[in-house]
Amino acid sequence: MKIAVIGTGYVGLVTATCLADSGNDVVGVDKDQAKIATLDSGKLPIYEPGLLELVERNRRDQRLLFTTDLAAGVKGARLVFIAVGTPPDDTGATDLRALWAVADALAPIVSDDVIVITKSTVPVGTNRQFADRLAQKRGKPVDVASNPEFLKEGAAVDDFMKPDRVVVGVRRPEVGEVLRELYAPFLRTEHPFLVMSPESAEMTKYVANAMLATKISFINEMANLCEKLEADVNDVRRGIGHDQRIGFQFLHPGPGYGGSCFPKDTKSLIHQGRRVQVDLALMDAVERVNDRQKKVLPAKVKAHYGPALKGKCLAVWGLAFKPRTDDIREAPSLTLIDDLLAAGVTLRVHDPEALKNVRDIYGDKLTYCDRPYSALEGADGLVIVTEWQEFRHPDFFVMKRLLREPVIFDGRNLFEPKAVRGHGFTYYGIGRVTA
Ligand SMILES: NC(=O)c1ccc[n+]([C@@H]2O[C@H](COP(=O)([O-])OP(=O)(O)OC[C@H]3O[C@@H](n4cnc5c(N)ncnc54)[C@H](O)[C@@H]3O)[C@@H](O)[C@H]2O)c1
């Protein structure tokens, strides 16, 4: 099948590449010339494990091309996927300008038998508006389906290749059948292909993210209570996780959720509720708890140093909003950096993949370190914000030698408090017994 994917960001690039890998002819279209130039030079504009090899292979076999020319990209395409960004505006509502721009640009160039498929996360009802807009501008309708994406950055290729489920929202069963055929190679292990209305498909994406964000805020709130009541959240987590009705996933306390999805999608859902006079009290709380949680780690730092904080130098390990990505959108590290810079602290930061993105924001306000240990040199303490695998078993002897004061603020509970304290460190976790 000939396919165009509009938007070659975290979702679009993975979608285009994986669809090419299953034998389709795919053109990735992006308006960002620098992105396309990077792709054409054989590099990736983002970091995503396993993606570069897959892009290289499919380009070599000429199943995958990139262009900034939308008309050339969609020419002859049977399927046109849209994966442009849908960020929040100032009110928390979803900014759909990129999506409408694509609708208007597609109208004069798509053929009658094209199927346009929205992968971008969009408010419920957008599918209908998109189809109406396209039909009005063309003078004739085309099929517009909704196909929310559930991939996780850091494991995006695997998630796309082996999805738990594929959800499509269609108005005509025939469109569902075309998409079923497209996804068949990815669903060979009996994982379901779920066909529903576009409205239900759009809603499914928000509900999935709302549930996951709720779990995170829930355990974070419980962790803060544990700390005050001298219970250890890690024991409590294990105590509840074995109950199959609860499980372990997404019940790790931390510095608050970030990323391009949970913050904007919970905000959007609240906004969608307001529009139809449904007060989403739980979602409001989830968001409020998360905003508060992003301040927990900086508060621990401030409480430890007191008035002596000004002029201190701290090391920070982990800046991406989660491991195995370079994405720093809404990352808790940014709140920490802003708070500590404002308090007169100098920062030596390290992240395996996100340094460039952080440098683009902070320039020479931070010291950027290529290695975790070089960040510790001369620092008065270490703050861990993201749980990259390589931070899990550090050499505490080396760390103690490099740091001016042996203190660790561990935002991800990577270490056992007793063991770290045994090495002579002052140790703060999230929801752990403090002494
Ligand atoms: N990132 C994730 O983990 C994830 C997961 C599931 C769903 N989503 C959803 O997928 C969508 C895309 O997210 P992302 O993280 O890939 O965003 P992104 O910002 O990484 O990529 C969006 C791309 O679209 C391009 N673009 C914007 N307007 C365009 C236009 N008119 N023509 C061509 N290209 C255009 C941008 O240049 C950019 O490269 C969002 O709606 C998001 O909510 C994201």
PDB file of all heavy atoms in Angstrom, residues 6-12 29-32 35 83-86 98 101-102 119-122 149-153 205 260-261 264-265 327 329, ligand 1:
ATOM      1  N   ILE A   6       2.036  12.388   7.756  1.00  0.00           N
ATOM      2  CA  ILE A   6       2.318  13.826   7.872  1.00  0.00           C
ATOM      3  C   ILE A   6       2.699  14.147   9.313  1.00  0.00           C
ATOM      4  O   ILE A   6       1.935  13.886  10.242  1.00  0.00           O
ATOM      5  CB  ILE A   6       1.099  14.658   7.433  1.00  0.00           C
ATOM      6  CG1 ILE A   6       0.707  14.234   6.013  1.00  0.00           C
ATOM      7  CG2 ILE A   6       1.416  16.142   7.489  1.00  0.00           C
ATOM      8  CD1 ILE A   6      -0.560  14.871   5.521  1.00  0.00           C
ATOM      9  N   GLY A   7       3.898  14.707   9.475  1.00  0.00           N
ATOM     10  CA  GLY A   7       4.481  14.904  10.808  1.00  0.00           C
ATOM     11  C   GLY A   7       5.454  13.770  11.052  1.00  0.00           C
ATOM     12  O   GLY A   7       5.057  12.599  11.072  1.00  0.00           O
ATOM     13  N   THR A   8       6.740  14.121  11.184  1.00  0.00           N
ATOM     14  CA  THR A   8       7.736  13.060  11.427  1.00  0.00           C
ATOM     15  C   THR A   8       8.410  13.276  12.778  1.00  0.00           C
ATOM     16  O   THR A   8       9.620  13.249  12.903  1.00  0.00           O
ATOM     17  CB  THR A   8       8.805  13.016  10.317  1.00  0.00           C
ATOM     18  OG1 THR A   8       9.460  14.292  10.287  1.00  0.00           O
ATOM     19  CG2 THR A   8       8.207  12.707   8.969  1.00  0.00           C
ATOM     20  N   GLY A   9       7.586  13.510  13.813  1.00  0.00           N
ATOM     21  CA  GLY A   9       8.097  13.631  15.176  1.00  0.00           C
ATOM     22  C   GLY A   9       8.182  12.254  15.817  1.00  0.00           C
ATOM     23  O   GLY A   9       8.344  11.237  15.133  1.00  0.00           O
ATOM     24  N   TYR A  10       8.041  12.201  17.144  1.00  0.00           N
ATOM     25  CA  TYR A  10       8.187  10.939  17.881  1.00  0.00           C
ATOM     26  C   TYR A  10       7.197   9.891  17.375  1.00  0.00           C
ATOM     27  O   TYR A  10       7.540   8.725  17.221  1.00  0.00           O
ATOM     28  CB  TYR A  10       8.005  11.180  19.383  1.00  0.00           C
ATOM     29  CG  TYR A  10       9.173  11.931  19.986  1.00  0.00           C
ATOM     30  CD1 TYR A  10       9.221  13.318  19.979  1.00  0.00           C
ATOM     31  CD2 TYR A  10      10.253  11.245  20.515  1.00  0.00           C
ATOM     32  CE1 TYR A  10      10.302  14.007  20.504  1.00  0.00           C
ATOM     33  CE2 TYR A  10      11.347  11.921  21.047  1.00  0.00           C
ATOM     34  CZ  TYR A  10      11.364  13.301  21.035  1.00  0.00           C
ATOM     35  OH  TYR A  10      12.441  13.977  21.538  1.00  0.00           O
ATOM     36  N   VAL A  11       5.963  10.311  17.089  1.00  0.00           N
ATOM     37  CA  VAL A  11       4.949   9.348  16.642  1.00  0.00           C
ATOM     38  C   VAL A  11       5.032   9.110  15.132  1.00  0.00           C
ATOM     39  O   VAL A  11       5.049   7.968  14.665  1.00  0.00           O
ATOM     40  CB  VAL A  11       3.532   9.839  17.035  1.00  0.00           C
ATOM     41  CG1 VAL A  11       2.455   9.036  16.321  1.00  0.00           C
ATOM     42  CG2 VAL A  11       3.347   9.710  18.538  1.00  0.00           C
ATOM     43  N   GLY A  12       5.101  10.202  14.370  1.00  0.00           N
ATOM     44  CA  GLY A  12       5.059  10.070  12.914  1.00  0.00           C
ATOM     45  C   GLY A  12       6.238   9.300  12.355  1.00  0.00           C
ATOM     46  O   GLY A  12       6.074   8.459  11.460  1.00  0.00           O
ATOM     47  N   VAL A  29       6.209  13.120   5.663  1.00  0.00           N
ATOM     48  CA  VAL A  29       6.179  14.538   5.259  1.00  0.00           C
ATOM     49  C   VAL A  29       6.273  15.405   6.509  1.00  0.00           C
ATOM     50  O   VAL A  29       5.557  15.161   7.481  1.00  0.00           O
ATOM     51  CB  VAL A  29       4.839  14.871   4.543  1.00  0.00           C
ATOM     52  CG1 VAL A  29       4.834  16.318   4.068  1.00  0.00           C
ATOM     53  CG2 VAL A  29       4.577  13.911   3.393  1.00  0.00           C
ATOM     54  N   ASP A  30       7.142  16.393   6.474  1.00  0.00           N
ATOM     55  CA  ASP A  30       7.190  17.335   7.599  1.00  0.00           C
ATOM     56  C   ASP A  30       7.463  18.722   7.045  1.00  0.00           C
ATOM     57  O   ASP A  30       8.183  18.886   6.068  1.00  0.00           O
ATOM     58  CB  ASP A  30       8.272  16.932   8.599  1.00  0.00           C
ATOM     59  CG  ASP A  30       7.961  17.438  10.000  1.00  0.00           C
ATOM     60  OD1 ASP A  30       7.979  18.672  10.205  1.00  0.00           O
ATOM     61  OD2 ASP A  30       7.673  16.609  10.885  1.00  0.00           O
ATOM     62  N   LYS A  31       6.881  19.718   7.723  1.00  0.00           N
ATOM     63  CA  LYS A  31       7.109  21.096   7.248  1.00  0.00           C
ATOM     64  C   LYS A  31       8.443  21.628   7.756  1.00  0.00           C
ATOM     65  O   LYS A  31       8.907  22.664   7.295  1.00  0.00           O
ATOM     66  CB  LYS A  31       5.955  22.000   7.677  1.00  0.00           C
ATOM     67  CG  LYS A  31       5.858  22.164   9.180  1.00  0.00           C
ATOM     68  CD  LYS A  31       4.847  23.219   9.535  1.00  0.00           C
ATOM     69  CE  LYS A  31       4.968  23.489  11.023  1.00  0.00           C
ATOM     70  NZ  LYS A  31       4.083  24.487  11.540  1.00  0.00           N
ATOM     71  N   ASP A  32       9.038  20.919   8.704  1.00  0.00           N
ATOM     72  CA  ASP A  32      10.295  21.356   9.305  1.00  0.00           C
ATOM     73  C   ASP A  32      11.463  20.901   8.412  1.00  0.00           C
ATOM     74  O   ASP A  32      11.835  19.718   8.402  1.00  0.00           O
ATOM     75  CB  ASP A  32      10.387  20.743  10.717  1.00  0.00           C
ATOM     76  CG  ASP A  32      11.633  21.188  11.461  1.00  0.00           C
ATOM     77  OD1 ASP A  32      12.612  21.601  10.800  1.00  0.00           O
ATOM     78  OD2 ASP A  32      11.624  21.109  12.700  1.00  0.00           O
ATOM     79  N   LYS A  35      14.439  19.102   9.998  1.00  0.00           N
ATOM     80  CA  LYS A  35      14.156  17.703  10.345  1.00  0.00           C
ATOM     81  C   LYS A  35      14.341  16.792   9.137  1.00  0.00           C
ATOM     82  O   LYS A  35      14.968  15.735   9.216  1.00  0.00           O
ATOM     83  CB  LYS A  35      12.702  17.600  10.838  1.00  0.00           C
ATOM     84  CG  LYS A  35      12.581  16.869  12.143  1.00  0.00           C
ATOM     85  CD  LYS A  35      11.190  16.952  12.717  1.00  0.00           C
ATOM     86  CE  LYS A  35      11.313  17.152  14.218  1.00  0.00           C
ATOM     87  NZ  LYS A  35      10.064  17.149  14.936  1.00  0.00           N
ATOM     88  N   ALA A  83       0.117  12.900  12.003  1.00  0.00           N
ATOM     89  CA  ALA A  83       0.757  12.761  13.326  1.00  0.00           C
ATOM     90  C   ALA A  83       1.428  14.072  13.720  1.00  0.00           C
ATOM     91  O   ALA A  83       2.538  14.086  14.240  1.00  0.00           O
ATOM     92  CB  ALA A  83       1.775  11.612  13.286  1.00  0.00           C
ATOM     93  N   VAL A  84       0.725  15.178  13.462  1.00  0.00           N
ATOM     94  CA  VAL A  84       1.294  16.481  13.832  1.00  0.00           C
ATOM     95  C   VAL A  84       1.054  16.730  15.323  1.00  0.00           C
ATOM     96  O   VAL A  84       0.226  16.069  15.957  1.00  0.00           O
ATOM     97  CB  VAL A  84       0.666  17.627  12.989  1.00  0.00           C
ATOM     98  CG1 VAL A  84       0.990  17.443  11.517  1.00  0.00           C
ATOM     99  CG2 VAL A  84      -0.842  17.718  13.206  1.00  0.00           C
ATOM    100  N   GLY A  85       1.768  17.696  15.870  1.00  0.00           N
ATOM    101  CA  GLY A  85       1.648  18.001  17.299  1.00  0.00           C
ATOM    102  C   GLY A  85       0.306  18.641  17.622  1.00  0.00           C
ATOM    103  O   GLY A  85      -0.264  19.377  16.802  1.00  0.00           O
ATOM    104  N   THR A  86      -0.198  18.351  18.832  1.00  0.00           N
ATOM    105  CA  THR A  86      -1.454  18.962  19.303  1.00  0.00           C
ATOM    106  C   THR A  86      -1.219  19.473  20.730  1.00  0.00           C
ATOM    107  O   THR A  86      -1.774  18.927  21.681  1.00  0.00           O
ATOM    108  CB  THR A  86      -2.609  17.931  19.272  1.00  0.00           C
ATOM    109  OG1 THR A  86      -2.180  16.714  19.927  1.00  0.00           O
ATOM    110  CG2 THR A  86      -3.035  17.604  17.867  1.00  0.00           C
ATOM    111  N   ALA A  98      -2.220  23.040  13.882  1.00  0.00           N
ATOM    112  CA  ALA A  98      -1.423  22.230  12.949  1.00  0.00           C
ATOM    113  C   ALA A  98      -2.335  21.259  12.189  1.00  0.00           C
ATOM    114  O   ALA A  98      -2.160  21.021  10.990  1.00  0.00           O
ATOM    115  CB  ALA A  98      -0.337  21.464  13.707  1.00  0.00           C
ATOM    116  N   ALA A 101      -4.359  23.112   9.595  1.00  0.00           N
ATOM    117  CA  ALA A 101      -3.480  23.490   8.474  1.00  0.00           C
ATOM    118  C   ALA A 101      -3.316  22.306   7.528  1.00  0.00           C
ATOM    119  O   ALA A 101      -3.334  22.465   6.300  1.00  0.00           O
ATOM    120  CB  ALA A 101      -2.121  23.950   9.002  1.00  0.00           C
ATOM    121  N   VAL A 102      -3.203  21.108   8.106  1.00  0.00           N
ATOM    122  CA  VAL A 102      -3.063  19.914   7.266  1.00  0.00           C
ATOM    123  C   VAL A 102      -4.362  19.664   6.495  1.00  0.00           C
ATOM    124  O   VAL A 102      -4.331  19.365   5.296  1.00  0.00           O
ATOM    125  CB  VAL A 102      -2.672  18.683   8.124  1.00  0.00           C
ATOM    126  CG1 VAL A 102      -2.720  17.420   7.289  1.00  0.00           C
ATOM    127  CG2 VAL A 102      -1.297  18.874   8.738  1.00  0.00           C
ATOM    128  N   LYS A 119      -3.699  10.187  13.771  1.00  0.00           N
ATOM    129  CA  LYS A 119      -2.974   9.512  14.850  1.00  0.00           C
ATOM    130  C   LYS A 119      -2.712  10.483  15.990  1.00  0.00           C
ATOM    131  O   LYS A 119      -2.525  10.081  17.135  1.00  0.00           O
ATOM    132  CB  LYS A 119      -1.634   8.984  14.319  1.00  0.00           C
ATOM    133  CG  LYS A 119      -1.681   7.496  14.200  1.00  0.00           C
ATOM    134  CD  LYS A 119      -0.378   6.812  14.282  1.00  0.00           C
ATOM    135  CE  LYS A 119      -0.612   5.342  14.037  1.00  0.00           C
ATOM    136  NZ  LYS A 119      -1.534   4.735  15.005  1.00  0.00           N
ATOM    137  N   SER A 120      -2.684  11.765  15.655  1.00  0.00           N
ATOM    138  CA  SER A 120      -2.506  12.774  16.700  1.00  0.00           C
ATOM    139  C   SER A 120      -3.613  12.601  17.738  1.00  0.00           C
ATOM    140  O   SER A 120      -4.729  12.194  17.401  1.00  0.00           O
ATOM    141  CB  SER A 120      -2.630  14.178  16.104  1.00  0.00           C
ATOM    142  OG  SER A 120      -1.668  14.381  15.105  1.00  0.00           O
ATOM    143  N   THR A 121      -3.289  12.920  18.987  1.00  0.00           N
ATOM    144  CA  THR A 121      -4.298  12.873  20.043  1.00  0.00           C
ATOM    145  C   THR A 121      -5.132  14.148  19.949  1.00  0.00           C
ATOM    146  O   THR A 121      -4.592  15.249  20.085  1.00  0.00           O
ATOM    147  CB  THR A 121      -3.607  12.777  21.414  1.00  0.00           C
ATOM    148  OG1 THR A 121      -2.759  11.639  21.399  1.00  0.00           O
ATOM    149  CG2 THR A 121      -4.629  12.661  22.541  1.00  0.00           C
ATOM    150  N   VAL A 122      -6.421  13.972  19.696  1.00  0.00           N
ATOM    151  CA  VAL A 122      -7.273  15.150  19.464  1.00  0.00           C
ATOM    152  C   VAL A 122      -8.571  15.036  20.266  1.00  0.00           C
ATOM    153  O   VAL A 122      -9.071  13.932  20.499  1.00  0.00           O
ATOM    154  CB  VAL A 122      -7.618  15.297  17.959  1.00  0.00           C
ATOM    155  CG1 VAL A 122      -6.383  15.686  17.168  1.00  0.00           C
ATOM    156  CG2 VAL A 122      -8.242  14.033  17.392  1.00  0.00           C
ATOM    157  N   GLU A 149      -2.709   6.583  18.996  1.00  0.00           N
ATOM    158  CA  GLU A 149      -1.447   5.866  19.142  1.00  0.00           C
ATOM    159  C   GLU A 149      -1.128   5.697  20.634  1.00  0.00           C
ATOM    160  O   GLU A 149      -1.235   6.634  21.394  1.00  0.00           O
ATOM    161  CB  GLU A 149      -0.329   6.663  18.436  1.00  0.00           C
ATOM    162  CG  GLU A 149       1.019   6.006  18.487  1.00  0.00           C
ATOM    163  CD  GLU A 149       0.961   4.552  18.035  1.00  0.00           C
ATOM    164  OE1 GLU A 149       0.569   4.279  16.900  1.00  0.00           O
ATOM    165  OE2 GLU A 149       1.317   3.666  18.857  1.00  0.00           O
ATOM    166  N   PHE A 150      -0.713   4.483  20.995  1.00  0.00           N
ATOM    167  CA  PHE A 150      -0.428   4.207  22.409  1.00  0.00           C
ATOM    168  C   PHE A 150       1.050   3.940  22.672  1.00  0.00           C
ATOM    169  O   PHE A 150       1.411   3.480  23.754  1.00  0.00           O
ATOM    170  CB  PHE A 150      -1.265   3.009  22.888  1.00  0.00           C
ATOM    171  CG  PHE A 150      -2.749   3.237  22.760  1.00  0.00           C
ATOM    172  CD1 PHE A 150      -3.472   2.707  21.706  1.00  0.00           C
ATOM    173  CD2 PHE A 150      -3.419   4.019  23.693  1.00  0.00           C
ATOM    174  CE1 PHE A 150      -4.835   2.938  21.573  1.00  0.00           C
ATOM    175  CE2 PHE A 150      -4.780   4.265  23.578  1.00  0.00           C
ATOM    176  CZ  PHE A 150      -5.494   3.717  22.513  1.00  0.00           C
ATOM    177  N   LEU A 151       1.907   4.195  21.690  1.00  0.00           N
ATOM    178  CA  LEU A 151       3.331   3.869  21.898  1.00  0.00           C
ATOM    179  C   LEU A 151       3.924   4.710  23.025  1.00  0.00           C
ATOM    180  O   LEU A 151       3.446   5.800  23.331  1.00  0.00           O
ATOM    181  CB  LEU A 151       4.125   4.070  20.608  1.00  0.00           C
ATOM    182  CG  LEU A 151       4.230   5.456  19.977  1.00  0.00           C
ATOM    183  CD1 LEU A 151       5.179   6.379  20.708  1.00  0.00           C
ATOM    184  CD2 LEU A 151       4.661   5.321  18.529  1.00  0.00           C
ATOM    185  N   LYS A 152       4.983   4.152  23.642  1.00  0.00           N
ATOM    186  CA  LYS A 152       5.699   4.863  24.704  1.00  0.00           C
ATOM    187  C   LYS A 152       7.045   5.296  24.153  1.00  0.00           C
ATOM    188  O   LYS A 152       7.761   4.465  23.577  1.00  0.00           O
ATOM    189  CB  LYS A 152       5.972   3.931  25.901  1.00  0.00           C
ATOM    190  CG  LYS A 152       4.754   3.316  26.537  1.00  0.00           C
ATOM    191  CD  LYS A 152       5.142   2.477  27.739  1.00  0.00           C
ATOM    192  CE  LYS A 152       5.807   1.154  27.405  1.00  0.00           C
ATOM    193  NZ  LYS A 152       4.969   0.183  26.680  1.00  0.00           N
ATOM    194  N   GLU A 153       7.413   6.547  24.335  1.00  0.00           N
ATOM    195  CA  GLU A 153       8.768   6.954  23.963  1.00  0.00           C
ATOM    196  C   GLU A 153       9.743   6.105  24.773  1.00  0.00           C
ATOM    197  O   GLU A 153       9.482   5.777  25.928  1.00  0.00           O
ATOM    198  CB  GLU A 153       8.975   8.442  24.257  1.00  0.00           C
ATOM    199  CG  GLU A 153       8.240   9.311  23.259  1.00  0.00           C
ATOM    200  CD  GLU A 153       8.326  10.787  23.584  1.00  0.00           C
ATOM    201  OE1 GLU A 153       9.273  11.221  24.258  1.00  0.00           O
ATOM    202  OE2 GLU A 153       7.410  11.516  23.159  1.00  0.00           O
ATOM    203  N   LYS A 205      -8.138   7.226  23.870  1.00  0.00           N
ATOM    204  CA  LYS A 205      -6.768   7.706  24.078  1.00  0.00           C
ATOM    205  C   LYS A 205      -6.672   8.568  25.341  1.00  0.00           C
ATOM    206  O   LYS A 205      -5.770   8.414  26.163  1.00  0.00           O
ATOM    207  CB  LYS A 205      -6.315   8.491  22.840  1.00  0.00           C
ATOM    208  CG  LYS A 205      -4.969   9.143  22.967  1.00  0.00           C
ATOM    209  CD  LYS A 205      -3.848   8.140  23.133  1.00  0.00           C
ATOM    210  CE  LYS A 205      -2.553   8.812  23.516  1.00  0.00           C
ATOM    211  NZ  LYS A 205      -1.480   7.881  23.817  1.00  0.00           N
ATOM    212  N   SER A 260       5.260  14.774  26.793  1.00  0.00           N
ATOM    213  CA  SER A 260       4.409  15.553  25.900  1.00  0.00           C
ATOM    214  C   SER A 260       2.964  15.099  25.982  1.00  0.00           C
ATOM    215  O   SER A 260       2.101  15.695  25.355  1.00  0.00           O
ATOM    216  CB  SER A 260       4.906  15.399  24.465  1.00  0.00           C
ATOM    217  OG  SER A 260       4.641  14.089  24.024  1.00  0.00           O
ATOM    218  N   CYS A 261       2.674  14.017  26.716  1.00  0.00           N
ATOM    219  CA  CYS A 261       1.306  13.483  26.671  1.00  0.00           C
ATOM    220  C   CYS A 261       0.494  13.673  27.951  1.00  0.00           C
ATOM    221  O   CYS A 261      -0.553  14.309  27.919  1.00  0.00           O
ATOM    222  CB  CYS A 261       1.349  12.009  26.283  1.00  0.00           C
ATOM    223  SG  CYS A 261       1.864  11.787  24.575  1.00  0.00           S
ATOM    224  N   LYS A 264      -0.501  17.367  28.953  1.00  0.00           N
ATOM    225  CA  LYS A 264      -1.419  18.055  28.028  1.00  0.00           C
ATOM    226  C   LYS A 264      -2.740  17.307  27.889  1.00  0.00           C
ATOM    227  O   LYS A 264      -3.788  17.914  27.733  1.00  0.00           O
ATOM    228  CB  LYS A 264      -0.754  18.278  26.678  1.00  0.00           C
ATOM    229  CG  LYS A 264      -0.867  17.148  25.681  1.00  0.00           C
ATOM    230  CD  LYS A 264      -0.427  17.598  24.297  1.00  0.00           C
ATOM    231  CE  LYS A 264      -0.188  16.414  23.379  1.00  0.00           C
ATOM    232  NZ  LYS A 264      -1.364  15.607  23.096  1.00  0.00           N
ATOM    233  N   ASP A 265      -2.696  15.979  27.966  1.00  0.00           N
ATOM    234  CA  ASP A 265      -3.941  15.227  27.764  1.00  0.00           C
ATOM    235  C   ASP A 265      -4.871  15.331  28.978  1.00  0.00           C
ATOM    236  O   ASP A 265      -6.094  15.374  28.819  1.00  0.00           O
ATOM    237  CB  ASP A 265      -3.631  13.765  27.406  1.00  0.00           C
ATOM    238  CG  ASP A 265      -2.986  13.657  26.015  1.00  0.00           C
ATOM    239  OD1 ASP A 265      -2.974  14.674  25.279  1.00  0.00           O
ATOM    240  OD2 ASP A 265      -2.469  12.570  25.670  1.00  0.00           O
ATOM    241  N   ASP A 327      13.480  13.405  25.050  1.00  0.00           N
ATOM    242  CA  ASP A 327      12.351  14.332  25.145  1.00  0.00           C
ATOM    243  C   ASP A 327      12.325  14.988  26.530  1.00  0.00           C
ATOM    244  O   ASP A 327      12.315  14.285  27.557  1.00  0.00           O
ATOM    245  CB  ASP A 327      11.049  13.539  24.906  1.00  0.00           C
ATOM    246  CG  ASP A 327       9.869  14.438  24.583  1.00  0.00           C
ATOM    247  OD1 ASP A 327       9.962  15.659  24.805  1.00  0.00           O
ATOM    248  OD2 ASP A 327       8.843  13.897  24.118  1.00  0.00           O
ATOM    249  N   ARG A 329      10.020  17.611  27.142  1.00  0.00           N
ATOM    250  CA  ARG A 329       8.805  18.410  27.257  1.00  0.00           C
ATOM    251  C   ARG A 329       8.151  18.174  28.627  1.00  0.00           C
ATOM    252  O   ARG A 329       7.920  17.028  29.012  1.00  0.00           O
ATOM    253  CB  ARG A 329       7.831  18.058  26.115  1.00  0.00           C
ATOM    254  CG  ARG A 329       8.303  18.580  24.779  1.00  0.00           C
ATOM    255  CD  ARG A 329       7.398  18.172  23.640  1.00  0.00           C
ATOM    256  NE  ARG A 329       7.602  16.803  23.200  1.00  0.00           N
ATOM    257  CZ  ARG A 329       6.990  16.253  22.148  1.00  0.00           C
ATOM    258  NH1 ARG A 329       6.141  16.951  21.442  1.00  0.00           N
ATOM    259  NH2 ARG A 329       7.234  15.001  21.803  1.00  0.00           N
TER     260      ARG A 329
HETATM  261  N1  LIG B   1       5.118  11.422  21.853  1.00  0.00           N
HETATM  262  C1  LIG B   1       4.387  10.411  22.267  1.00  0.00           C
HETATM  263  O1  LIG B   1       4.851   9.559  23.046  1.00  0.00           O
HETATM  264  C2  LIG B   1       2.963  10.256  21.800  1.00  0.00           C
HETATM  265  C3  LIG B   1       2.293   9.046  22.037  1.00  0.00           C
HETATM  266  C4  LIG B   1       0.989   8.908  21.575  1.00  0.00           C
HETATM  267  C5  LIG B   1       0.368   9.960  20.910  1.00  0.00           C
HETATM  268  N2  LIG B   1       1.037  11.127  20.716  1.00  0.00           N
HETATM  269  C6  LIG B   1       0.351  12.198  19.971  1.00  0.00           C
HETATM  270  O2  LIG B   1       0.868  12.220  18.644  1.00  0.00           O
HETATM  271  C7  LIG B   1       0.932  13.562  18.151  1.00  0.00           C
HETATM  272  C8  LIG B   1       2.348  13.883  17.721  1.00  0.00           C
HETATM  273  O3  LIG B   1       3.179  13.829  18.863  1.00  0.00           O
HETATM  274  P1  LIG B   1       4.770  13.864  18.730  1.00  0.00           P
HETATM  275  O4  LIG B   1       5.318  13.678  20.087  1.00  0.00           O
HETATM  276  O5  LIG B   1       5.198  12.965  17.622  1.00  0.00           O
HETATM  277  O6  LIG B   1       4.962  15.389  18.279  1.00  0.00           O
HETATM  278  P2  LIG B   1       6.265  16.068  17.667  1.00  0.00           P
HETATM  279  O7  LIG B   1       6.196  17.492  18.068  1.00  0.00           O
HETATM  280  O8  LIG B   1       7.472  15.268  17.994  1.00  0.00           O
HETATM  281  O9  LIG B   1       6.056  15.938  16.079  1.00  0.00           O
HETATM  282  C9  LIG B   1       5.093  16.641  15.368  1.00  0.00           C
HETATM  283  C10 LIG B   1       5.652  16.910  13.969  1.00  0.00           C
HETATM  284  O10 LIG B   1       4.641  17.451  13.150  1.00  0.00           O
HETATM  285  C11 LIG B   1       5.237  18.392  12.278  1.00  0.00           C
HETATM  286  N3  LIG B   1       4.210  19.282  11.725  1.00  0.00           N
HETATM  287  C12 LIG B   1       3.460  20.215  12.360  1.00  0.00           C
HETATM  288  N4  LIG B   1       2.630  20.819  11.497  1.00  0.00           N
HETATM  289  C13 LIG B   1       2.848  20.248  10.280  1.00  0.00           C
HETATM  290  C14 LIG B   1       2.298  20.446   8.984  1.00  0.00           C
HETATM  291  N5  LIG B   1       1.343  21.359   8.766  1.00  0.00           N
HETATM  292  N6  LIG B   1       2.767  19.701   7.964  1.00  0.00           N
HETATM  293  C15 LIG B   1       3.742  18.787   8.176  1.00  0.00           C
HETATM  294  N7  LIG B   1       4.288  18.554   9.383  1.00  0.00           N
HETATM  295  C16 LIG B   1       3.858  19.275  10.425  1.00  0.00           C
HETATM  296  C17 LIG B   1       6.243  19.104  13.163  1.00  0.00           C
HETATM  297  O11 LIG B   1       7.228  19.784  12.406  1.00  0.00           O
HETATM  298  C18 LIG B   1       6.797  17.934  13.958  1.00  0.00           C
HETATM  299  O12 LIG B   1       7.925  17.364  13.335  1.00  0.00           O
HETATM  300  C19 LIG B   1       0.392  14.443  19.277  1.00  0.00           C
HETATM  301  O13 LIG B   1      -0.973  14.650  19.064  1.00  0.00           O
HETATM  302  C20 LIG B   1       0.601  13.588  20.509  1.00  0.00           C
HETATM  303  O14 LIG B   1      -0.305  13.886  21.523  1.00  0.00           O
HETATM  304  C21 LIG B   1       2.316  11.299  21.124  1.00  0.00           C
END
